[in-house]
Amino acid sequence: MAAVAAPTRAEVLSLFRSLLRTAKQFSDYNIREYTRRRAADAFRDNRALADPPAAAAAFAEGKKQLEVARRQAVVYSLYAPKAKSVMELKVQ
Amino acid sequence: MALSRRLLPLFLRRGAPAVRALSTAAAPAAAVASEEEEESITVKGVRISGRPLYMDMQATTPVDPRVLDAMLPFYLSRYGNPHSRTHLYGWESDAAVEAARASVASLVGADPREIFFTSGATECNNIAVKGVMRFYRDRRRHVITTQTEHKCVLDSCRYLQQEGFEVTYLPVRSDGLVDLAQLEDAIRPDTGLVSVMAVNNEIGVVQPLEEIGRICKEKGVPFHTDAAQALGKIPIDVNRMGIGLMSLSGHKIYGPKGVGALYLRRRPRIRVEPQMSGGGQERGIRSGTVPTPLVVGFGAACEIAAQEMDYDHRRVSALQQRLLDGIRAQVDEVVINGSMEHRYPGNLNLSFAYVEGESLLMGLKEVAVSSGSACTSASLEPSYVLRALGVEEDMAHTSIRFGIGRFTTEEEVDRAIELTVRQVKKLRDMSPLYEMAKAGIDLKSIEWSQH
């Protein structure tokens, strides 16, 4: 990872959008909400990351998490229970 | 013809349950005879509109998708026995197990060689309590523990008593914490073990581990702590806290069920008599093939916990405050069981006065909560933990434990508040006791007529 250039703004935004898109694909209410929230919080916390190696490391971590989320969104969809969480149903 | 037409609807009506029963029998994978239709689920005769929101994090936690992602390869191609020394399958599994061991060790500040994988915290507690005492049985005949320990520690102690050991069950203060002076006084020259749990499973209080560890070190007694509910939630450092033995569990930290780890100090060395005889895996402390996928999942869960502890803690604390404020704003006479100051915020154990606990739990079908520990919720007896705190029997009967975790959302907390408040108000409206209490009658002064 040494001497890796910091990711461009466009690359960061694209990664963020991919994570949010993948988060939406989780069939499980809690995992879906968590993935979205955790990604948003991580990008917000790292917004001021100026140091290029640190920014590159955070970017690489984000890409790794995206791969995990993509695989797991598929796994979750394969075994999704028929009934939804009460949180996804309309309030009576 | 006319007759049969009249009979037909009757037949259909009677036929319907039989068809349903058949359909569940045809799907043996569904262990519980549950029916999931599009609109509702029926399990054990209870009909609910959807899967309940989960707030029973002390019983178990959902598996983190990152944990499952780490485990799956070891259920697919990498199925080797980590103890196989003669081929790649064994080597890759062994490497994965050792990496997981390092992750677990690093989360508690231990050396990887001090970590022994087991089937869970119950097994660890058994090895620790019985194992230490049996190993040092010639000189050490006395064990100290507390009245609020987990069942498996208490039962191990009972077992030791039958074998002729002496056990002191320390009482706890009304906030659930152990009295350090009392602990110090209880230590005798022949005390072989002090076992105090880190975070209580029912009331979430955090015991002063560092102080207990210091006392034990001064007296030269090994200190065992059951940290199943503490791992990954509060910082643990075995050296700073003077811990000699520690029980850990995978499924309380978003890892898989069926795996745990025992921490066993090397310097000064603490030895135990193993419970299991066999192939001598885990340095002979716990024979039996190490389950690679589970151990890998446990390791991944520890790694994530190390990274996420601060983030999760901030979130869980905020949600706990939201839940408590929300309930207290709408319902009076709510009592928090256990210290609020020394508490893991993911556990909120509340008692609602003048409400019957079982009715409250049954009314909260859409919230998966428990009145206490899953192990004892089968019995109608009030929790022995709450009794040890000196909680009155009627209040102990009405306790509900709300568990908040990594995946709990604000909306779930709000819904839990709404449903709990609605149910408590409904039950209190029916309760003559609540009416009398509101009218200023002291319920304790009433002499109930005997039947």
Side-chain angles (χ1 to χ4, degrees):
Chain A
M1 283 316 296
V4 181
T8 64
R9 188 182 157 73
E11 283 174 320
V12 172
L13 281 177
S14 157
L15 174 63
F16 185 41
R17 272 195 292 268
S18 303
L19 271 164
L20 293 187
R21 210 177 308 125
T22 312
K24 264 190 204 163
Q25 288 163 10
F26 272 100
S27 51
D28 184 282
Y29 162 78
N30 291 90
I31 306 294
R32 184 168 66 237
E33 290 291 313
Y34 175 77
T35 311
R36 186 192 55 72
R37 181 172 69 236
R38 190 70 192 90
D41 287 345
F43 278 83
R44 193 181 306 121
D45 289 348
N46 287 333
R47 189 186 275 170
L49 219 57
D51 179 38
F59 185 70
E61 176 62 24
K63 278 180 100 166
K64 220 173 83 192
Q65 295 299 329
L66 175 62
E67 290 311 310
V68 174
R70 278 191 174 145
R71 284 193 295 268
Q72 290 305 309
V74 175
V75 174
Y76 271 76
S77 73
L78 294 175
Y79 299 99
K82 265 185 234 152
K84 288 189 164 179
S85 158
V86 288
M87 298 305 295
E88 294 169 287
L89 304 170
K90 270 178 284 173
V91 188
Q92 297 88 351
Chain B
M1 198 60 215
L3 190 88
S4 72
R5 200 175 299 156
R6 228 180 300 146
L7 270 176
L8 197 64
L10 211 133
F11 241 90
L12 276 179
R13 226 176 294 142
R14 295 186 59 184
V19 171
R20 241 183 252 163
L22 222 133
S23 73
T24 49
V32 188
S34 74
E35 291 172 50
E36 289 189 3
E37 289 156 30
E38 271 171 38
E39 303 265 305
S40 67
I41 321 170
T42 311
V43 188
K44 294 186 173 178
V46 179
R47 207 175 155 81
I48 34 183
S49 56
R51 295 179 69 77
L53 58 96
Y54 190 77
M55 293 191 92
D56 199 7
M57 298 294 172
Q58 279 69 37
T60 193
T61 51
V63 174
D64 191 298
R66 291 164 287 191
V67 169
L68 185 63
D69 194 65
M71 289 170 69
L72 280 176
F74 294 90
Y75 275 125
L76 304 171
S77 318
R78 302 183 199 174
Y79 45 76
N81 184 325
H83 314 297
S84 295
R85 293 291 158 85
T86 50
H87 47 71
L88 173 82
Y89 290 87
W91 302 332
E92 64 183 9
S93 285
D94 183 52
V97 166
E98 292 316 312
R101 200 186 301 280
S103 302
V104 177
S106 122
L107 183 56
V108 296
D111 185 293
R113 288 172 297 177
E114 297 174 313
I115 300 294
F116 299 89
F117 288 116
T118 66
S119 67
T122 290
E123 188 184 349
C124 296
N125 284 334
N126 273 271
I127 299 176
V129 175
K130 295 181 197 163
V132 165
M133 293 315 288
R134 286 210 186 122
F135 193 90
Y136 298 101
R137 74 183 123 212
D138 298 335
R139 288 169 291 137
R140 310 280 189 153
R141 305 295 301 171
H142 179 231
V143 187
I144 298 173
T145 187
T146 71
Q147 292 176 356
T148 55
E149 290 301 302
H150 192 269
K151 265 272 157 70
C152 60
V153 170
L154 296 176
D155 269 4
S156 296
C157 288
R158 294 270 143 72
Y159 186 84
L160 286 174
Q161 276 179 304
Q162 286 174 357
E163 287 194 350
F165 291 91
E166 280 178 66
V167 181
T168 301
Y169 300 94
L170 285 179
V172 292
R173 299 192 313 228
S174 61
D175 59 2
L177 295 174
V178 66
D179 187 327
L180 292 172
Q182 219 170 6
L183 171 71
E184 198 163 354
D185 289 344
I187 297 178
R188 316 192 312 209
D190 68 339
T191 301
L193 187 73
V194 170
S195 180
V196 179
M197 75 201 309
V199 172
N200 188 276
N201 53 319
E202 288 195 32
I203 51 176
V205 299
V206 184
Q207 298 289 357
L209 298 179
E210 214 168 323
E211 286 78 0
I212 299 171
R214 190 177 39 73
I215 293 170
C216 290
K217 199 171 180 181
E218 276 166 18
K219 303 264 182 175
V221 180
F223 171 33
H224 165 249
T225 185
D226 174 0
Q229 299 283 350
L231 183 68
K233 291 163 187 163
I234 61 166
I236 297 174
D237 186 315
V238 288
N239 294 318
R240 187 166 55 79
M241 295 171 168
I243 294 167
L245 305 98
M246 179 164 61
S247 307
L248 306 171
S249 176
H251 74 110
K252 310 284 190 195
I253 59 161
Y254 314 97
K257 294 159 186 57
V259 68
L262 175 69
Y263 163 80
L264 201 55
R265 181 171 284 282
R266 279 170 74 86
R267 278 202 192 120
R269 191 164 179 203
I270 294 171
R271 303 184 66 180
V272 294
E273 192 184 281
Q275 305 266 300
M276 199 93 82
S277 313
Q281 289 91 346
E282 297 297 278
R283 296 167 199 266
I285 300 294
R286 206 280 189 177
S287 285
T289 300
V290 171
T292 317
L294 299 182
V295 162
V296 166
F298 186 21
C302 287
E303 226 169 276
I304 296 165
Q307 274 171 25
E308 300 287 311
M309 203 185 292
D310 289 338
Y311 178 86
D312 284 351
H313 198 271
R314 275 199 305 275
R315 226 190 114 67
V316 166
S317 304
L319 289 178
Q320 184 211 36
Q321 201 58 48
R322 190 187 183 102
L323 180 61
L324 187 59
D325 292 348
I327 289 178
R328 282 210 157 150
Q330 299 176 70
V331 179
D332 58 348
E333 308 223 32
V334 181
V335 178
I336 303 169
N337 293 310
S339 164
M340 199 55 193
E341 196 185 334
H342 302 279
R343 186 188 204 93
Y344 165 61
N347 178 319
L348 192 60
N349 190 316
L350 300 177
S351 282
F352 298 87
Y354 317 114
V355 167
E356 210 270 309
E358 290 298 314
S359 325
L360 184 52
L361 281 178
M362 286 315 291
L364 286 176
K365 284 178 301 189
E366 292 188 349
V367 190
V369 284
S370 151
S371 59
S373 125
C375 331
T376 46
S377 55
S379 67
L380 282 171
E381 258 178 57
S383 142
Y384 66 88
V385 173
L386 295 182
R387 296 271 287 276
L389 260 60
V391 176
E392 294 279 340
E393 193 152 331
D394 57 332
M395 287 302 270
H397 261 300
T398 72
S399 72
I400 287 197
R401 180 184 65 187
F402 292 95
I404 300 164
R406 183 179 285 162
F407 301 106
T408 310
T409 66
E410 279 89 355
E411 292 75 23
E412 283 181 308
V413 168
D414 291 348
R415 182 75 70 89
I417 296 169
E418 182 197 325
L419 293 170
T420 308
V421 167
R422 191 196 297 166
Q423 193 63 21
V424 169
K425 283 189 171 161
K426 190 174 133 192
L427 290 171
R428 280 186 181 172
D429 283 345
M430 297 191 289
S431 160
L433 294 180
Y434 184 64
E435 220 168 282
M436 286 156 79
K438 285 283 117 178
I441 302 168
D442 181 12
L443 295 179
K444 294 207 174 61
S445 68
I446 300 171
E447 280 180 38
W448 303 101
S449 63
Q450 298 281 316
H451 288 285

